[in-house]
Amino acid sequence: MTAAAASASPSAARSAATSTGASAVDKGVGPLLRGWREQRRVSQLELALRADSSARHISFVETGRSRPSEEMVLRLAEHLDVPVRDRNALLLAAGYAPRYPETPLDDPALDALREGVERLIQGYEPYPAFVVDATYNVVAANRGIAMLLDTVPEHLLAPPLNAMRLTLHPEGLAPRIRNLREWRGHLLAQMERDIALRRSEPLRALYEEVAAYPYPAEDSPGSENGSDEGPGETVPYFALPMQIEHDGRVLSFISSISTFNTPMDVTVAELAIETLLPADPATVKYLQSLMS
């Protein structure tokens, strides 16, 4: 993983965590839990049934008449699908120590994780794959990604690289994406879901930045089959592809995102591995030819 990207992200995340923790203590655990419950559109009764409690006790916790145990805070957070970082904030607000550490990505304790992820994305070559943190900063990428970025100007490649900026910036990949309108809508909707889940101010700021980038009124016309070798056969895509020009061809990719199950560390919880699966035979053939 690139040292610049790996070192920049955790420090910013720790700063955000400190700010979140301080405001959480001031606000109290009750209003915070009520906010998460209302955002998830769960009634007090439904939450009580899920957490093996009572609606009366949930009401007392939310109004500050009852102080929840550490176990109860974690149980409610789990049933409300509260992100790991924010579970620490809930514990602080309830007067308990944070449960989940936030280990810097370059810490020796995460050596096995880093090495495993590196092997995973390198093994995916020649297809593109990369790893991002909670604000889409790229912390690792394989040679397939480097291929797609070969025409991006240097100022956009300065660390920390940001996947959303690289994709949607008018000097980044955006001019080469044939179905930019659709792909841009997909990425912005993805960020909106993440903002709703994480309540992250840095993520919201990034969203407002990239949503304001100009883009062509009409997508540029191009081949639908991912090749410059003729019209060929229409491909029945099974998911929305990103169709991007490269070296005189149009390559088509389907995006897949993986996260870690039951993470016990804030840093690990906020990592996501994105792989770009070739969406048609022409793209497969071209990428495999790069390896020969």
Side-chain angles (χ1 to χ4, degrees), residues 199-215:
R199 296 181 176 180
S200 166
E201 288 305 317
L203 187 57
R204 182 175 294 279
L206 176 65
Y207 173 87
E208 292 174 354
E209 174 190 335
V210 299
Y213 288 161
Y215 67 97

Side-chain angles (χ1 to χ4, degrees), residues 126-128 144 147-148 150 176 225-229 244-253 278 280-292:
Y127 308 145
M147 172 201 69
L148 293 180
D150 59 1
R176 292 163 46 200
N225 67 348
S227 173
D228 61 353
E229 298 177 358
I244 184 169
E245 294 181 9
H246 181 266
D247 197 23
R249 297 174 178 264
V250 177
L251 306 179
S252 296
F253 296 99
D280 56 40
T283 301
V284 172
K285 181 179 178 182
Y286 175 69
L287 293 177
Q288 290 181 344
S289 73
L290 297 180
M291 298 291 288
S292 60

